Amino acid sequence: MATKAGSAEVSQTAGPIDGEEGVRRRDFLNVAAVSFAGVGGVVALAPLFVQMSPSADVLALATTEVDISKVQSGQGIKVSWRKQPVFVRNLTPKEIAEANAVPMSALRDPETLAQRTKPGKQNWLITLGVCTHLGCVPLGIGEGENKGPFGGYFCPCHGSEYDTAARIRQGPAPKNLFVPDYEFTSPTTVMIGAKGK
Amino acid sequence: MRFILGFIGAVFAIVLLISMISGISEWVTNPPSPLAAEEFHKHPEPLHLASDGPFGKFDKAQLQRGFQVYSEVCSACHSLSLVSFRDLAGLGYSEAEIKKIASDWKTQVPSINPDTGEAATRKALPSDTFPAPFPNEVAARAANNNALPPDLSLITKAREGGAAYVHSLLTGYQNQPAELLKKFPDAKTPQGLHYNPYFANLNIAMPPPLTANGQVTYADGTPATVDQMSKDVSAFLVWTAEPNLTTRRAAGLAVVIFLLIGTILGYLAYHQLWDEAKRTVRPTGPLDPENQAKSRRAKAKAGVAG
Amino acid sequence: MSFSWAKPYEPKHPLMRWIDERLPLPRVVYGAIGGGYPVPRNLNYWWNFGVLAGIFLTIQIVTGIVLAMHYTASVDGAFNSVNQLIMRDVNAGWLLRYAHMNGASFFFIVTYIHIFRGLFYGSYKAPRELVWMLGLVIYLLMMATAFMGYVLPWGQMSYWGAQVITGFFSAFPVIGEPLRVWLLGGYAPDQAALGRFFSLHYLLPFVIAAVVILHIWALHIPGSGNPTGVDVKDERDTLPFHPFYTAKDGWFAGGVLLLYAIVTYFAPDYLGHPDNYIPANALATPAEIVPEWYFWPFYAILRSFTVDFILPAKLWGVLAMFFSILLLFFLPWIDKSPVRSGSYRPVFKRFFWLLVIDVIILGWAGGGAPTPMRNVISQLAAAYYFLHFLVVLPLVSAFETPLPLPRSITDSVLHGEEAEAAPIGSKPRRGSTATATAE
């Protein structure tokens, strides 16, 4: 109930009867009591804020195991990881060559295909299927979908165009499609979300 | 209006008195016959656990033993549907151990075959809750003589007496006392039920689950007597009912100390303010310094020290 | 607002002045709970419970809004969303849930003390009849809200509470059963009932908050009552609400919150019932079915009627239970004594304490299984409850001779200091402080 204004007013009521000492003691008590109320109020807000962050059951779903044995060269699949789409694409040699042929200077967010894949598994391009512009799901992973002029992905919302390494080439998106943490637990399974060793 | 209300009040009172008289006469003419369940029901024996009291903490070694009893004995029939494998971290298990416990769990998690869409099962993951031993209530009843084994996640909160009840129930199986049968010849424990004085109606469908010392083999070498196993599993079920127990108390202690100091400071500030209220709010009042000075002068004049 | 000497609002900060000129909200707040509201200087601690009720209403609304972010109002998901998601997985979810659960109990504790304060000090009498009646409206809304909130976790007590309480309505002839089915949206509590209870449980607290504003508004017209029941006569009888009563309410609220914290953190299930940790089961009633503790006195009245006498026993019980609250609305006209405060009414005072004991006995009677002994006690206590308000009070107010009242509030609190401060030899006239300053 006590407020900052409270302490000011309280000290006004302090009469001239007591000496300087008394005034200081009085102020101390009021300031201390009001500060306690203030600190208590702020601390009481903490649970109201932390309850909004992901709960333990959400955090527990941090990894998704994907079987990639059936993804042929040139195909891709869309899987769900932490409730977000992930594109798993088996690049053809032609697509790999196209990606490697692009000079770094032509890229808005310069990264090589090798940096975006695992060593020896350069044909497996695994990215989040979330456009870095405003979060739409780009086209291009499904059979027959518009891959855009650069042969990668095309976001229909605002026309961002990605190349075969899922790097931004044209349109409003600022970054390449995000590559999540993942590791190959066997030649045909990928654990998305797992920190690679 | 007061007359009408008074009349209504009197009517209610009269009907109540009629109810009372008829109740008493019913009681006198037809006294209720005692029931075996009232006379022979026992309240749980006190049980002392490390987590008791406002400052109690879980004994993790005991919780792990209790978990072992649950997984080797109780889990054959009882689900633990609100608890996830990942929660076992609270018992002191490492991430790798939890992963192994989950994938080795005897019941698998229902899932679908990714190729055909048919019902299938898969190994449990740390993020899964403990898979139930029976797929549904009908199956559970069918396998248990038409009795439904309750879920154990909240059992120590859902029973009067909590952990002590669980412990007493597990160790309380016995033969029906001869005295009971003599007094209530009709109250013989029916076929398929088991006499247990700690159970509300004395006859429980669950057969004695812990019957022999050494039924489980504790890794830490604690002798697995029936009493010890019951205690351990009771402690474990206190944890399943409220894994946050110790966090709650630790936070509570801090909050209580903070509020105590704040209240004392507030009280002192309040007192100081009010002690002066009479003097300062009303500068013309009797305790106003001017008036006090007058009073002092008058006292001095009258020769009184003060 | 109410007294000519109430300090007008003077903005200290240019920003506040700017706002005040356009929207006089700062002025309203200052006049309602700031330095601009003169309050009798002699209030005792029983007067702290209104503010406390406001604090607990706030706690309930805040924790409730947050819990609703995680709660699922479905018969399949409700129990788990409370007992698994909120209690185990949501960050600080257990704290919010326990705070809400016990917050309800504390809200009722402080409200009951507030109501009994009003009963003892005649706070329902003119000119505060509307304050009293609005308070009763708040209390009725609280009961509805608390009942519906208890249904939400969808445990055994939730389910059977919903079943029994909606069953009250089936006592009425002809319309009863259709009314019950309409309330539930089915023949038994199910998804339809849970959905509407959740929606209304979220809505009603805001209605309560609105009625609280009316309650305070109506109070500020005559100003607060006081333990003597004597009207405020001049400025010396009052102190500004702020800082004097904010300081008093502040430290006292700290103490009550301390008790609340002790229960919430160290015995959160003490006031609850174990059966509500069992998921709702429409096919098995719990062995012992009782409502939450704050409904026990009314539950006892309901159960006390066991005989069909002209009307069926069930209808008697339901009528009596509703009427036991309804009659409080007539209190300002039942108790005609011109003296407000029970302190100056020797006969009234005895009966008041008898009523307190009676209600406690009713609470005890309603909280346990109905044994013959308990029934008899409950019936006697219920009979006294009605007789107290409807027969005893009118008679007492007609025949009682009250004690002499003090001439003013100041008189009742300040004569001690006056004597102490007066010059030796001059005997201050009892009951007058004005003379001391006029010498």
PDB file of all heavy atoms in Angstrom, chain B residues 4-5 10-11 23 80 97 106 113 122 136 171 181 196 221-222 226 228 252 267 277 287:
ATOM      1  N   ILE B   4     -43.189 -10.343   9.200  1.00  0.00           N
ATOM      2  CA  ILE B   4     -43.153 -11.428   8.199  1.00  0.00           C
ATOM      3  C   ILE B   4     -41.830 -12.189   8.301  1.00  0.00           C
ATOM      4  O   ILE B   4     -41.783 -13.422   8.321  1.00  0.00           O
ATOM      5  CB  ILE B   4     -43.311 -10.850   6.776  1.00  0.00           C
ATOM      6  CG1 ILE B   4     -44.667 -10.159   6.645  1.00  0.00           C
ATOM      7  CG2 ILE B   4     -43.160 -11.942   5.716  1.00  0.00           C
ATOM      8  CD1 ILE B   4     -44.828  -9.363   5.371  1.00  0.00           C
ATOM      9  N   LEU B   5     -40.735 -11.423   8.388  1.00  0.00           N
ATOM     10  CA  LEU B   5     -39.430 -12.075   8.479  1.00  0.00           C
ATOM     11  C   LEU B   5     -39.331 -12.925   9.740  1.00  0.00           C
ATOM     12  O   LEU B   5     -38.804 -14.036   9.724  1.00  0.00           O
ATOM     13  CB  LEU B   5     -38.318 -11.021   8.457  1.00  0.00           C
ATOM     14  CG  LEU B   5     -38.091 -10.354   7.097  1.00  0.00           C
ATOM     15  CD1 LEU B   5     -37.149  -9.165   7.244  1.00  0.00           C
ATOM     16  CD2 LEU B   5     -37.520 -11.349   6.106  1.00  0.00           C
ATOM     17  N   ALA B  10     -39.259 -18.195  12.363  1.00  0.00           N
ATOM     18  CA  ALA B  10     -39.873 -19.145  13.289  1.00  0.00           C
ATOM     19  C   ALA B  10     -40.241 -20.428  12.554  1.00  0.00           C
ATOM     20  O   ALA B  10     -40.058 -21.527  13.093  1.00  0.00           O
ATOM     21  CB  ALA B  10     -41.111 -18.513  13.921  1.00  0.00           C
ATOM     22  N   VAL B  11     -40.733 -20.296  11.323  1.00  0.00           N
ATOM     23  CA  VAL B  11     -41.103 -21.496  10.560  1.00  0.00           C
ATOM     24  C   VAL B  11     -39.881 -22.375  10.327  1.00  0.00           C
ATOM     25  O   VAL B  11     -39.906 -23.586  10.566  1.00  0.00           O
ATOM     26  CB  VAL B  11     -41.754 -21.094   9.213  1.00  0.00           C
ATOM     27  CG1 VAL B  11     -41.873 -22.309   8.298  1.00  0.00           C
ATOM     28  CG2 VAL B  11     -43.108 -20.473   9.452  1.00  0.00           C
ATOM     29  N   GLY B  23     -35.284 -37.096  13.978  1.00  0.00           N
ATOM     30  CA  GLY B  23     -33.960 -37.727  13.897  1.00  0.00           C
ATOM     31  C   GLY B  23     -33.614 -38.448  15.180  1.00  0.00           C
ATOM     32  O   GLY B  23     -33.123 -39.579  15.163  1.00  0.00           O
ATOM     33  N   LEU B  80       1.922 -44.503 -13.865  1.00  0.00           N
ATOM     34  CA  LEU B  80       2.529 -43.332 -13.221  1.00  0.00           C
ATOM     35  C   LEU B  80       2.452 -42.229 -14.272  1.00  0.00           C
ATOM     36  O   LEU B  80       3.440 -41.663 -14.701  1.00  0.00           O
ATOM     37  CB  LEU B  80       3.990 -43.659 -12.863  1.00  0.00           C
ATOM     38  CG  LEU B  80       4.705 -42.855 -11.802  1.00  0.00           C
ATOM     39  CD1 LEU B  80       3.987 -42.951 -10.472  1.00  0.00           C
ATOM     40  CD2 LEU B  80       6.132 -43.360 -11.641  1.00  0.00           C
ATOM     41  N   GLU B  97      21.753 -42.219 -18.054  1.00  0.00           N
ATOM     42  CA  GLU B  97      21.026 -43.240 -17.290  1.00  0.00           C
ATOM     43  C   GLU B  97      19.526 -43.159 -17.568  1.00  0.00           C
ATOM     44  O   GLU B  97      18.849 -44.173 -17.736  1.00  0.00           O
ATOM     45  CB  GLU B  97      21.289 -43.049 -15.790  1.00  0.00           C
ATOM     46  CG  GLU B  97      22.660 -43.528 -15.349  1.00  0.00           C
ATOM     47  CD  GLU B  97      22.985 -43.122 -13.921  1.00  0.00           C
ATOM     48  OE1 GLU B  97      22.667 -41.969 -13.522  1.00  0.00           O
ATOM     49  OE2 GLU B  97      23.561 -43.941 -13.190  1.00  0.00           O
ATOM     50  N   LYS B 106       9.809 -51.711 -19.662  1.00  0.00           N
ATOM     51  CA  LYS B 106       9.206 -52.955 -20.168  1.00  0.00           C
ATOM     52  C   LYS B 106       7.992 -52.715 -21.056  1.00  0.00           C
ATOM     53  O   LYS B 106       7.721 -53.503 -21.956  1.00  0.00           O
ATOM     54  CB  LYS B 106       8.828 -53.853 -18.995  1.00  0.00           C
ATOM     55  CG  LYS B 106       7.886 -53.193 -18.022  1.00  0.00           C
ATOM     56  CD  LYS B 106       7.820 -53.989 -16.737  1.00  0.00           C
ATOM     57  CE  LYS B 106       7.422 -53.096 -15.592  1.00  0.00           C
ATOM     58  NZ  LYS B 106       7.783 -53.580 -14.299  1.00  0.00           N
ATOM     59  N   ASN B 113       3.147 -46.989 -37.154  1.00  0.00           N
ATOM     60  CA  ASN B 113       4.164 -47.399 -38.105  1.00  0.00           C
ATOM     61  C   ASN B 113       4.295 -46.319 -39.173  1.00  0.00           C
ATOM     62  O   ASN B 113       3.319 -45.982 -39.835  1.00  0.00           O
ATOM     63  CB  ASN B 113       3.727 -48.735 -38.734  1.00  0.00           C
ATOM     64  CG  ASN B 113       4.764 -49.265 -39.694  1.00  0.00           C
ATOM     65  OD1 ASN B 113       5.360 -48.507 -40.453  1.00  0.00           O
ATOM     66  ND2 ASN B 113       4.970 -50.571 -39.655  1.00  0.00           N
ATOM     67  N   ARG B 122       6.931 -48.024 -29.834  1.00  0.00           N
ATOM     68  CA  ARG B 122       8.342 -47.670 -29.959  1.00  0.00           C
ATOM     69  C   ARG B 122       8.925 -47.591 -28.562  1.00  0.00           C
ATOM     70  O   ARG B 122       8.192 -47.551 -27.566  1.00  0.00           O
ATOM     71  CB  ARG B 122       8.482 -46.321 -30.674  1.00  0.00           C
ATOM     72  CG  ARG B 122       7.823 -45.174 -29.940  1.00  0.00           C
ATOM     73  CD  ARG B 122       8.279 -43.831 -30.483  1.00  0.00           C
ATOM     74  NE  ARG B 122       7.507 -42.745 -29.884  1.00  0.00           N
ATOM     75  CZ  ARG B 122       7.739 -42.233 -28.676  1.00  0.00           C
ATOM     76  NH1 ARG B 122       8.709 -42.720 -27.915  1.00  0.00           N
ATOM     77  NH2 ARG B 122       7.000 -41.248 -28.214  1.00  0.00           N
ATOM     78  N   ASN B 136      -5.869 -49.537 -21.578  1.00  0.00           N
ATOM     79  CA  ASN B 136      -7.042 -48.762 -21.205  1.00  0.00           C
ATOM     80  C   ASN B 136      -7.672 -49.355 -19.957  1.00  0.00           C
ATOM     81  O   ASN B 136      -7.226 -50.389 -19.450  1.00  0.00           O
ATOM     82  CB  ASN B 136      -8.057 -48.700 -22.350  1.00  0.00           C
ATOM     83  CG  ASN B 136      -8.382 -50.089 -22.866  1.00  0.00           C
ATOM     84  OD1 ASN B 136      -8.718 -50.967 -22.080  1.00  0.00           O
ATOM     85  ND2 ASN B 136      -8.228 -50.294 -24.167  1.00  0.00           N
ATOM     86  N   THR B 171       2.234 -52.804   4.313  1.00  0.00           N
ATOM     87  CA  THR B 171       2.718 -53.724   5.342  1.00  0.00           C
ATOM     88  C   THR B 171       1.573 -54.248   6.204  1.00  0.00           C
ATOM     89  O   THR B 171       1.802 -54.983   7.151  1.00  0.00           O
ATOM     90  CB  THR B 171       3.745 -53.020   6.254  1.00  0.00           C
ATOM     91  OG1 THR B 171       3.151 -51.810   6.726  1.00  0.00           O
ATOM     92  CG2 THR B 171       5.012 -52.680   5.504  1.00  0.00           C
ATOM     93  N   LEU B 181     -14.724 -61.717  13.006  1.00  0.00           N
ATOM     94  CA  LEU B 181     -15.653 -62.705  12.452  1.00  0.00           C
ATOM     95  C   LEU B 181     -16.697 -63.111  13.485  1.00  0.00           C
ATOM     96  O   LEU B 181     -17.852 -63.372  13.140  1.00  0.00           O
ATOM     97  CB  LEU B 181     -14.874 -63.924  11.978  1.00  0.00           C
ATOM     98  CG  LEU B 181     -14.118 -63.701  10.667  1.00  0.00           C
ATOM     99  CD1 LEU B 181     -13.274 -64.902  10.318  1.00  0.00           C
ATOM    100  CD2 LEU B 181     -15.094 -63.375   9.538  1.00  0.00           C
ATOM    101  N   ASN B 196      -7.222 -56.043   4.891  1.00  0.00           N
ATOM    102  CA  ASN B 196      -6.198 -55.058   5.233  1.00  0.00           C
ATOM    103  C   ASN B 196      -6.866 -53.954   6.043  1.00  0.00           C
ATOM    104  O   ASN B 196      -7.671 -53.198   5.508  1.00  0.00           O
ATOM    105  CB  ASN B 196      -5.582 -54.473   3.953  1.00  0.00           C
ATOM    106  CG  ASN B 196      -4.327 -53.677   4.244  1.00  0.00           C
ATOM    107  OD1 ASN B 196      -4.236 -53.011   5.275  1.00  0.00           O
ATOM    108  ND2 ASN B 196      -3.362 -53.756   3.340  1.00  0.00           N
ATOM    109  N   GLY B 221      23.088 -52.006  -1.474  1.00  0.00           N
ATOM    110  CA  GLY B 221      23.314 -52.975  -0.407  1.00  0.00           C
ATOM    111  C   GLY B 221      22.360 -52.865   0.775  1.00  0.00           C
ATOM    112  O   GLY B 221      22.487 -53.596   1.751  1.00  0.00           O
ATOM    113  N   THR B 222      21.411 -51.937   0.739  1.00  0.00           N
ATOM    114  CA  THR B 222      20.445 -51.843   1.822  1.00  0.00           C
ATOM    115  C   THR B 222      19.639 -53.138   1.885  1.00  0.00           C
ATOM    116  O   THR B 222      19.176 -53.617   0.853  1.00  0.00           O
ATOM    117  CB  THR B 222      19.475 -50.672   1.557  1.00  0.00           C
ATOM    118  OG1 THR B 222      20.243 -49.505   1.306  1.00  0.00           O
ATOM    119  CG2 THR B 222      18.541 -50.444   2.720  1.00  0.00           C
ATOM    120  N   VAL B 226      10.633 -56.222   3.791  1.00  0.00           N
ATOM    121  CA  VAL B 226       9.344 -55.748   3.310  1.00  0.00           C
ATOM    122  C   VAL B 226       9.097 -54.321   3.819  1.00  0.00           C
ATOM    123  O   VAL B 226       8.670 -53.439   3.077  1.00  0.00           O
ATOM    124  CB  VAL B 226       8.214 -56.699   3.777  1.00  0.00           C
ATOM    125  CG1 VAL B 226       6.850 -56.083   3.509  1.00  0.00           C
ATOM    126  CG2 VAL B 226       8.342 -58.028   3.066  1.00  0.00           C
ATOM    127  N   GLN B 228      11.335 -52.082   4.673  1.00  0.00           N
ATOM    128  CA  GLN B 228      12.229 -51.140   3.990  1.00  0.00           C
ATOM    129  C   GLN B 228      11.725 -50.828   2.585  1.00  0.00           C
ATOM    130  O   GLN B 228      11.671 -49.664   2.171  1.00  0.00           O
ATOM    131  CB  GLN B 228      13.646 -51.731   3.911  1.00  0.00           C
ATOM    132  CG  GLN B 228      14.679 -50.799   3.315  1.00  0.00           C
ATOM    133  CD  GLN B 228      14.922 -49.587   4.192  1.00  0.00           C
ATOM    134  OE1 GLN B 228      14.994 -49.704   5.415  1.00  0.00           O
ATOM    135  NE2 GLN B 228      15.017 -48.422   3.591  1.00  0.00           N
ATOM    136  N   GLY B 252       9.854 -20.800  -0.008  1.00  0.00           N
ATOM    137  CA  GLY B 252       8.968 -20.372   1.068  1.00  0.00           C
ATOM    138  C   GLY B 252       9.742 -19.761   2.224  1.00  0.00           C
ATOM    139  O   GLY B 252       9.341 -18.741   2.783  1.00  0.00           O
ATOM    140  N   TYR B 267       5.656  -2.154  10.651  1.00  0.00           N
ATOM    141  CA  TYR B 267       5.028  -1.892  11.946  1.00  0.00           C
ATOM    142  C   TYR B 267       5.723  -0.735  12.652  1.00  0.00           C
ATOM    143  O   TYR B 267       5.071   0.167  13.192  1.00  0.00           O
ATOM    144  CB  TYR B 267       5.087  -3.147  12.815  1.00  0.00           C
ATOM    145  CG  TYR B 267       4.500  -2.924  14.181  1.00  0.00           C
ATOM    146  CD1 TYR B 267       3.120  -2.848  14.356  1.00  0.00           C
ATOM    147  CD2 TYR B 267       5.316  -2.750  15.295  1.00  0.00           C
ATOM    148  CE1 TYR B 267       2.571  -2.613  15.597  1.00  0.00           C
ATOM    149  CE2 TYR B 267       4.774  -2.511  16.544  1.00  0.00           C
ATOM    150  CZ  TYR B 267       3.408  -2.446  16.699  1.00  0.00           C
ATOM    151  OH  TYR B 267       2.857  -2.205  17.918  1.00  0.00           O
ATOM    152  N   ALA B 277       0.926  11.280  15.440  1.00  0.00           N
ATOM    153  CA  ALA B 277      -0.273  11.768  14.763  1.00  0.00           C
ATOM    154  C   ALA B 277      -1.006  12.778  15.614  1.00  0.00           C
ATOM    155  O   ALA B 277      -1.379  13.854  15.154  1.00  0.00           O
ATOM    156  CB  ALA B 277      -1.195  10.611  14.431  1.00  0.00           C
ATOM    157  N   LEU B 287      -1.411  17.888  22.883  1.00  0.00           N
ATOM    158  CA  LEU B 287      -0.027  17.453  22.904  1.00  0.00           C
ATOM    159  C   LEU B 287       0.833  18.327  22.001  1.00  0.00           C
ATOM    160  O   LEU B 287       1.981  18.003  21.720  1.00  0.00           O
ATOM    161  CB  LEU B 287       0.063  15.987  22.484  1.00  0.00           C
ATOM    162  CG  LEU B 287      -0.519  15.011  23.501  1.00  0.00           C
ATOM    163  CD1 LEU B 287      -0.239  13.586  23.093  1.00  0.00           C
ATOM    164  CD2 LEU B 287       0.045  15.272  24.883  1.00  0.00           C
TER     165      LEU B 287
END
